[in-house]
Amino acid sequence: MRTYIMLKPDALKRRLAGEIISRIEKKGYEITDMKMFTLTEDILKEHYAHIANLPFFPDIVKFMTSGPVIGMIVEGPDVVQGMRNLMGATKCLEATAGTIRGDFAFTNGENLIHGSDSPENAEIEIARFFGK
Ligand code: CDP
Ligand code: MG
């Protein structure tokens, strides 16, 4: 199974990319593709269609386009749920210690990492960002 993982601009600005990639590697998953790029508002409206009409979306666009991101394809058994477990909950106060967000995120918006929420969405997101 494979999933789409994206290190958000705060992860790069805070020099946490290595720490987060290390956790993915130590878990045993395989990173089979990786690239650094900058998101646009158009692609975010597609990627975040489920939150695009919520009041905080303009802030998310500002944040997510504020610097480069690192997109990755990560592979392993049950990796979609497994990566969600490594990431921790969306909201920083609900993310438990030991997870990436629990250990390093202190706001709900700037929460360091994106991971697909289902195998179906993983394939859609991999196609969107890697064209494969
Ligand atoms: O990223 P995740 O799948 O955990 O959460 P989401 O519900 O798909 O929301 C996408 C992103 O919107 C989150 O990662 C946050 O950056 C942001 N968000 C927020 O700032 N406040 C919320 N109440 C929900 C989402
Ligand atoms: Mg999501």
Side-chain angles (χ1 to χ4, degrees):
M1 183 189 281
R2 56 189 199 158
T3 191
Y4 179 68
I5 296 299
M6 189 158 61
L7 307 188
K8 299 184 180 184
D10 55 335
L12 281 76
K13 285 178 201 157
R14 292 177 60 196
R15 306 292 192 260
L16 287 169
E19 165 74 31
I20 296 169
I21 290 166
S22 177
R23 288 182 179 211
I24 296 169
E25 289 186 312
K26 285 179 190 159
K27 176 74 174 175
Y29 296 141
E30 190 179 0
I31 298 168
T32 57
D33 208 343
M34 179 188 290
K35 66 176 174 185
M36 191 183 295
F37 63 103
T38 303
L39 293 161
T40 63
E41 183 167 358
D42 280 352
I43 206 156
L44 278 168
K45 280 185 184 149
E46 214 181 286
H47 178 67
Y48 277 152
H50 60 293
I51 57 164
N53 51 7
L54 296 181
F56 57 81
F57 189 66
D59 290 333
I60 296 294
V61 171
K62 198 176 287 177
F63 160 55
M64 291 293 288
T65 60
S66 68
V69 299
I70 294 176
M72 287 181 261
I73 301 174
V74 179
E75 302 197 14
D78 296 314
V79 68
V80 172
Q81 186 59 49
M83 274 305 309
R84 296 290 304 194
N85 294 350
L86 284 191
M87 287 162 53
T90 307
K91 294 186 178 175
C92 59
L93 290 179
E94 291 169 10
T96 52
T99 66
I100 292 162
R101 288 167 168 173
D103 287 350
F104 303 121
F106 50 85
T107 67
N108 292 337
E110 304 199 11
N111 56 10
L112 299 163
I113 183 167
H114 166 82
S116 309
D117 60 11
S118 70
E120 297 72 28
N121 282 336
E123 290 306 315
I124 291 168
E125 292 173 1
I126 287 167
R128 174 176 302 133
F129 292 106
F130 282 94
K132 64 184 186 187

